Amino acid sequence: MASIRRTLSPAYHDRSYQNGAGFSSPSNKLLPNGNSKHFSSSSSSTHLPLLFTAVNLVYCRGWRRSFCRCLFFFLIGFVCGISLFGHVDSDIQAKNFAFPELKPPHVNLQLNDQIVASVSLGVNTRLEEQKEVTDLIEPLKQLIVVTPTYNRGFQAYFLNRLGQVLRLVKPPLVWIVVEEKVASFETAEILRKTGVMYRHVVSTRNSSNVKDRGVHQRNAALEHIERHKLDGIVFFADDDNVYTLELFESLRTISRFGTWPVAMLAQSKNKAILEGPVCNASQVIGWHTNEKSKILRRFHVDMSGFAFNSTILWDPKRWGRPFSNPIRQLDTVKEGFQETTFIKQVVEDEGQMEGIPPGCSRIMNWHLHLDTVNLVYPKGWLLEKNLEVTLPIK
């Protein structure tokens, strides 16, 4: 049986290829025996010859074989699918694919059920709790310590000792140091080195004719407090006294006027006497005194044995004072009556006083009265030319 073989196109005869390989017809690769007539006669479909012809033309034009193969198999699958199934069922009824309506279950709310009105985060709740605790903690009262000082042998020692004690007291605290006539450079240097907040005040009044030179100095401090309306507890702390930290912490418990017992050296310097209130808890019920000359005094207390609220000086209406005259120490009274005449301007009786500590059972400061006028230094301490003298060690 004769076979029909297609000859190569003349365009391919003169073309050279690498490795000596020649170009073969695409139709020969699609048809293993090279017989296209046999393949067309065995096909039942009338469209297949035309399809193969189109594919051969594509190969002849030089398209990539991979793309043609994909297109070929796609068309075969498409034709077979239509011929096998015949028609598409168009009787598919539309179905409702919508989501069903979701409703919460019905709840019968009773009167006893709890209703949540609002929801707050835990962080906000914690911040509110901290704020409430902060509001409950009252700030510490300010202490206004008034110290008159003057030039004498132990002045630097007294100021340094008192300054170191005040440095250990919890703030707020302001130290008002009052000097006579002029503020000395030495005193200012001592105050700066203590690290305590201070105010250096000068009293211009002449104190040479007054037995207690601290009267005008304390009045200068009271005027300063009244003018600037300092709010706190005023305490007259002489620089030659000895104080405990417990005393300064107890001052903050005073509401209007507080007092406590003070240990004092007697004139003979060989014994100590107690001067101050006798207390039942915080109520003042009597006074300690051992001197007959002090029986005439109304309040038996030392100058460093009481403290009071500073608002009494510049806000008399708050405390119901019947007069608005400035509260000052008097320089016309006898020695020893300075304290009682001043206290009469602040309170009316013991009912307006507070004894500290409760029961007035502890001594928290001592009044020493150390005189430096007749001090006798040991031999060898005073040298006229300190830098030129050498003391041999014996």
Side-chain angles (χ1 to χ4, degrees):
M1 184 175 179
S3 62
I4 299 175
R5 178 175 295 180
R6 296 179 60 185
T7 60
L8 294 176
S9 176
Y12 293 94
H13 288 291
D14 298 332
R15 184 177 298 179
S16 60
Y17 301 93
Q18 297 178 355
N19 298 330
F23 182 80
S24 62
S25 175
S27 61
N28 293 333
K29 291 188 177 182
L30 289 173
L31 303 176
N33 298 326
N35 193 350
S36 61
K37 182 179 178 181
H38 174 75
F39 182 81
S40 62
S41 61
S42 62
S43 174
S44 61
S45 174
T46 60
H47 301 284
L48 292 178
L50 297 176
L51 181 61
F52 283 108
T53 303
V55 172
N56 290 331
L57 292 175
V58 171
Y59 271 97
C60 292
R61 293 181 181 277
W63 288 32
R64 289 181 295 182
R65 296 181 181 181
S66 60
F67 176 77
C68 293
R69 289 178 180 178
C70 293
L71 180 62
F72 171 74
F73 287 111
F74 173 76
L75 293 176
I76 289 179
F78 179 76
V79 172
C80 294
I82 294 177
S83 62
L84 291 176
F85 294 101
H87 67 280
V88 180
D89 187 8
S90 60
D91 297 335
I92 300 176
Q93 298 179 356
K95 295 184 180 180
N96 185 12
F97 292 98
F99 290 100
E101 183 179 0
L102 299 178
K103 296 182 178 179
H106 180 71
V107 179
N108 294 326
L109 189 63
Q110 303 296 332
L111 295 178
N112 295 331
D113 294 341
Q114 297 181 354
I115 301 176
V116 179
S118 61
V119 178
S120 59
L121 297 177
V123 177
N124 296 334
T125 305
R126 184 173 297 178
L127 291 176
E128 292 177 358
E129 292 177 354
Q130 293 179 355
K131 184 178 180 181
E132 292 178 357
V133 173
T134 305
D135 295 339
L136 293 176
I137 300 176
E138 296 182 0
L140 296 177
K141 293 182 180 180
Q142 180 175 236
L143 300 182
I144 306 173
V145 181
V146 177
T147 300
T149 186
Y150 59 95
N151 186 14
R152 62 193 189 278
F154 285 166
Q155 181 185 14
Y157 165 71
F158 289 151
L159 287 177
N160 277 289
R161 183 182 62 180
L162 180 56
Q164 295 304 318
V165 174
L166 297 179
R167 186 176 183 177
L168 301 176
V169 180
K170 295 180 181 179
L173 182 145
V174 58
W175 189 18
I176 301 179
V177 180
V178 188
E179 284 194 288
E180 292 181 324
K181 298 179 182 180
V182 63
S184 63
F185 174 79
E186 292 78 9
T187 301
E189 186 178 7
I190 292 174
L191 297 179
R192 284 194 299 268
K193 291 181 178 179
T194 57
V196 180
M197 186 174 64
Y198 70 92
R199 297 191 181 186
H200 201 173
V201 181
V202 176
S203 175
T204 58
R205 297 281 305 269
N206 185 13
S207 302
S208 59
N209 56 351
V210 181
K211 292 184 178 181
D212 186 0
R213 65 176 64 195
V215 172
H216 294 317
Q217 293 174 285
R218 298 187 191 98
N219 286 339
L222 294 175
E223 183 179 356
H224 180 84
I225 296 171
E226 184 178 351
R227 185 190 314 117
H228 297 281
K229 294 184 178 180
L230 300 182
D231 191 2
I233 304 299
V234 181
F235 172 47
F236 296 122
D238 293 339
D239 56 0
D240 58 345
N241 291 357
V242 179
Y243 309 94
T244 63
L245 290 176
E246 183 184 4
L247 172 62
F248 294 98
E249 297 300 331
S250 301
L251 295 180
R252 291 193 165 100
T253 63
I254 297 174
S255 176
R256 176 170 182 168
F257 183 94
T259 182
W260 56 91
V262 178
M264 305 175 61
L265 284 179
Q267 295 294 334
S268 59
K269 308 294 184 182
N270 58 1
K271 65 177 181 179
I273 59 176
L274 195 63
E275 187 174 32
V278 178
C279 304
N280 181 12
S282 60
Q283 183 182 3
V284 178
I285 58 175
W287 302 95
H288 292 287
T289 181
N290 291 327
E291 298 183 13
K292 297 180 180 180
S293 60
K294 295 182 178 180
I295 297 177
L296 299 177
R297 291 198 304 173
R298 174 66 178 86
F299 303 110
H300 303 271
V301 63
D302 185 71
M303 185 64 70
S304 61
F306 66 91
F308 60 95
N309 198 312
S310 64
T311 57
I312 299 177
L313 301 174
W314 48 268
D315 191 7
K317 294 182 180 180
R318 175 181 175 182
W319 304 100
R321 288 176 52 201
F323 52 89
S324 59
N325 297 332
I327 299 176
R328 300 289 187 269
Q329 292 189 5
L330 306 179
D331 56 358
T332 57
V333 298
K334 296 180 179 181
E335 184 181 3
F337 288 84
Q338 197 61 243
E339 297 85 353
T340 186
T341 55
F342 178 80
I343 295 175
K344 288 180 180 179
Q345 302 176 60
V346 180
V347 295
E348 298 178 357
D349 53 21
E350 286 81 358
Q352 297 178 347
M353 297 182 180
E354 308 162 39
I356 58 172
C360 301
S361 56
R362 289 190 298 276
I363 304 299
M364 297 182 292
N365 70 315
W366 293 263
H367 195 173
L368 302 180
H369 292 291
L370 295 178
D371 298 329
T372 60
V373 180
N374 299 321
L375 284 177
V376 178
Y377 290 91
K379 185 178 181 180
W381 279 29
L382 298 178
L383 302 176
E384 296 180 358
K385 299 179 181 180
N386 296 336
L387 299 179
E388 298 178 1
V389 176
T390 303
L391 297 178
I393 300 176
K394 296 181 181 180

